[in-house]
Amino acid sequence: MCGIFVYQGPRSDAAGIVLEGLKRLEYRGYDSWGLAVPGSDGLKTERRVGKIGAVSANDGPIAALNPSNVAIGHTRWATHGGVTEGNAHPHLSCDGKVGVIHNGIVENAEELKAELLAGGHVLASETDSEVIAHLIENLLRDHPLPEAVRLAFSRLRGRNAIVVLSASAGKVLVVAKSGSPVVIGIGGNESAPEYFVSSDMPALLAHTNRLVWLGDHEMATIDGSLKFASTSTGEPISRQSEIVAWEPEQAERGEHPHFMLKEILEQRDAVQRAINQPPALLDEVAAVMRVAQEVCFIGCGTAGAVGRIGTYLFADIAGRATSAILGSEFKNYRHSLHERTLLIAISQSGETADLLEAVDIALARGSRVVAIVNVPGSMLTRKAHYTLLVQAGPEKAVASTKATMGQIAVLGLLAHACAGQAAHGHALLTNVASHIDALTTPDYMGRVARLANRLAGEDDLYVIGRGINYPVALEAAIKVQEVSYIHAEGIAGGELKHYAIALIQPGTPCIILASNDDARAEILSNAAQVKARGGMIIGVGPEDNPIFDEYLPVPDGGGLSPLLTLIPMQILAYYLACARGNDPDMPRNLAKSVTVK
Ligand code: M6R
């Protein structure tokens, strides 16, 4: 969940380069941050609590870290120990010569701490991460840095990624990974190469698009060249670099006040790119689906809601029964998996720990796995048998918008391919995408913003849908919750009378998703039940209705309506966050990639 950024190369302003890299990564974790460079008798560090925000490379203590050709940096999302300067990374060994930045959770940290304390080490922080620096310090007595790191790393339980800098080893960096993502960027030229390490690929794009993803149980030593080895055996391994087509500007905010707004506005193009899947790959995945005995969508958070939307799309378009399970719940179903189970794993990052664990479980049972994922090269793409890339480009706001739309579009296309109607599906999706612009005009956005201002003081908000609009309501509620912090719930219209109508009081805001589908009459009747209890009805759909107190029009998207209905919900969430003074890009307590369990 934390962010790692590292530089080694000919430039002497390594601390400044890493500081800028950390700013690009701040969406991954933003409670504290820190940097380290080698000094004459140990590492020099600067650690601070809070967001990096406007801190510049000219800031006194940061500038004092340069000149240096190497620097390691970290933004933290606290797991073990409070948000304090002392708990911020890098963590140092007792002699101050070994510095470690860490992403993940050392599950056996308490055991290792006890051993280190008994051996005379003094631990300065409450974190699980610090033990790594002390373990390496011990091992450096008998081993060179790469081997000391390998041996220390082998003792850690859990899904971890570390970068280690040692004052005694000069510019040498050692990177190791067993779960959390790490990507190495290679820049400069043949005679003066430069190396970057990051937990997240978009942060590297300003410097290079030549990248190497480190696999699990792999390590890299960067000493002016790049060498790879297995963390289990120490044996050298070979790894090829890949060129990624994402442009650096795509990862910048530009003129927009927030990434979330920028990404909402990019959704027409995102949907259009998502449906341009390689035809042969699409056919192959559709064929695998047709022969599968069971098909199950898995995802977490928003991607979990997308999976549920997928079950409706496949039933409606391909006449195919499928199921949807949250990544974190999937292990409970492991005994039902076999070779003819097909798992469709949905993810923006491709690095979500709960999802990757579910995929591992399915692979171990011989099941097939298709990934629908936005980030090329991510762990999920490496585990899956087939990958349909969403191609939404870098998504930096914590709240997923354009990647979500891309995932839904891919599912819509795949459902049509499964029904033997890929070309028809492509045409329908292109038509739906063409209506997205109507939902992002200044007039329309202003209308949603006014509604947000009206609702900004509410404590509770319900989003009610039937049919495919039920999972759309779940996703709408996720968006509202995560950025506005208003308690929001998605409710199936049919369930209201079973329990949820008890929540309705005079004035309770209820968003009614009323598409032009066969659920419309019933959802309007639900709206009437809510209105009879004094609820405030906000209608969303292609047709206005006298029962609506407020109305957000949405073009008719037919069977692909989620691609349109969700957009005003995302915009509403965004403006609610702004109206309540929240930062929609970095909502409290959340991080973009949930790489810990
Ligand atoms: O990267 P993933 O799509 O696998 O992430 C899954 C969830 O963590 C993610 O969808 C989360 O719920 C978002 N913040 C929602 O906007």
Side-chain angles (χ1 to χ4, degrees), residues 11 23 38 46 68 75 96 103 118 137 170 204 238 249 263 302 345 366 394 435 470 510 526 532 542 588:
R11 291 190 257 170
K23 287 184 187 174
E46 177 63 15
S68 179
T75 59
N103 207 349
E137 180 178 31
L204 297 172
S238 107
E249 314 77 63
E263 289 158 8
T302 284
H435 291 298
Y470 167 47
C510 293
N526 291 141
R588 68 181 179 207

Side-chain angles (χ1 to χ4, degrees), residues 83-437:
V83 180
T84 62
E85 207 174 286
N87 287 337
H89 300 217
H91 289 290
L92 303 188
S93 53
C94 290
D95 63 7
K97 291 188 175 167
V98 178
V100 173
I101 49 177
H102 169 229
N103 207 349
I105 294 177
V106 179
E107 288 170 5
N108 54 337
E110 287 312 313
E111 192 184 297
L112 295 171
K113 251 183 212 174
E115 176 189 315
L116 288 162
L117 291 172
H121 285 264
V122 178
L123 278 80
S125 76
E126 303 158 322
T127 66
D128 54 330
S129 312
E130 191 190 343
V131 296
I132 308 168
H134 295 271
L135 285 175
I136 295 169
E137 180 178 31
N138 279 353
L139 288 156
L140 275 173
R141 292 184 198 124
D142 303 313
H143 303 278
L145 182 65
E147 182 62 1
V149 172
R150 187 183 80 76
L151 293 171
F153 194 71
S154 312
R155 298 208 52 203
L156 311 181
R157 282 209 305 272
R159 304 167 55 82
N160 297 294
I162 60 171
V163 184
V164 182
L165 176 66
S166 157
S168 330
K171 283 180 15 175
V172 180
L173 290 165
V174 183
V175 190
K177 157 179 160 63
S178 64
S180 285
V182 178
V183 56
I184 299 172
I186 305 166
N189 54 45
E190 288 274 299
S191 56
E194 50 184 10
Y195 299 97
F196 305 85
V197 183
S198 178
S199 46
D200 211 5
M201 179 259 277
L204 297 172
L205 293 175
H207 299 285
T208 180
N209 63 353
R210 192 174 152 211
L211 309 174
V212 187
W213 272 267
L214 209 58
D216 283 347
H217 314 296
E218 291 179 3
M219 59 188 287
T221 301
I222 306 174
D223 56 4
S225 68
L226 189 54
K227 299 179 195 79
F228 297 97
S230 150
T231 56
S232 320
T233 62
E235 289 298 310
I237 53 173
S238 107
R239 281 241 147 254
Q240 297 303 316
S241 59
E242 298 170 37
I243 303 293
V244 169
W246 286 6
E247 298 297 329
E249 314 77 63
Q250 289 180 288
E252 302 298 334
R253 189 159 47 81
E255 307 278 283
H256 300 283
H258 298 105
F259 277 107
M260 184 175 175
L261 180 61
K262 172 181 182 266
E263 289 158 8
I264 286 172
L265 296 175
E266 288 173 346
Q267 299 198 92
R268 182 196 171 141
D269 290 348
V271 170
Q272 203 62 61
R273 277 199 301 273
I275 59 176
N276 285 333
Q277 295 295 328
L281 174 64
L282 190 65
D283 284 352
E284 203 175 340
V285 173
V288 172
M289 277 198 83
R290 277 190 222 105
V291 299
Q293 207 167 312
E294 283 107 33
V295 176
C296 176
F297 299 104
I298 58 163
C300 304
T302 284
V306 170
R308 295 174 83 149
I309 292 173
T311 61
Y312 287 84
L313 290 174
F314 274 79
D316 181 38
I317 298 167
R320 175 84 215 226
T322 56
S323 57
I325 301 176
L326 294 174
S328 55
E329 287 298 313
F330 187 75
K331 58 176 174 288
N332 302 302
Y333 296 84
R334 62 189 176 281
H335 300 303
S336 68
L337 304 173
H338 49 78
E339 288 83 359
R340 292 190 61 200
T341 307
L342 175 65
L343 202 67
I344 303 197
I346 303 167
S347 178
Q348 188 284 129
S349 63
E351 303 288 356
T352 301
D354 285 329
L355 188 77
L356 294 177
E357 183 187 84
V359 167
D360 286 341
I361 290 169
L363 291 173
R365 302 280 299 183
S367 306
R368 308 296 285 168
V369 177
V370 174
I372 297 182
V373 62
N374 191 38
V375 178
S378 56
M379 208 50 185
L380 182 57
T381 67
R382 284 157 206 284
K383 289 181 185 281
H385 297 104
Y386 305 93
T387 295
L388 297 171
L389 280 177
V390 167
Q391 305 176 99
E395 186 180 75
K396 299 196 73 174
V398 165
S400 180
T401 54
K402 64 175 180 170
T404 305
M405 282 303 168
Q407 290 160 350
I408 297 170
V410 171
L411 287 173
L413 185 69
L414 186 57
H416 280 94
C418 236
Q421 300 172 349
H424 177 58
H426 192 278
L428 286 178
L429 282 154
T430 305
N431 180 45
V432 170
S434 73
H435 291 298
I436 291 178
D437 286 344

Side-chain angles (χ1 to χ4, degrees), residues 455-459 483-487 575-582:
L455 299 177
E458 298 290 341
D459 294 326
V483 297
S484 76
Y485 319 148
I486 292 175
H487 165 240
Y575 283 122
L576 281 171
C578 296
R580 289 165 68 94
N582 303 345

Side-chain angles (χ1 to χ4, degrees), residues 4-42:
I4 284 174
F5 200 90
V6 166
Y7 174 79
Q8 189 224 68
R11 291 190 257 170
S12 58
D13 58 337
I17 296 169
V18 169
L19 182 80
E20 288 309 310
L22 291 181
K23 287 184 187 174
R24 291 196 192 94
L25 276 176
E26 219 184 2
Y27 64 101
R28 287 190 68 112
Y30 29 79
D31 51 42
S32 51
W33 56 277
L35 300 166
V37 301
S40 46
D41 60 344

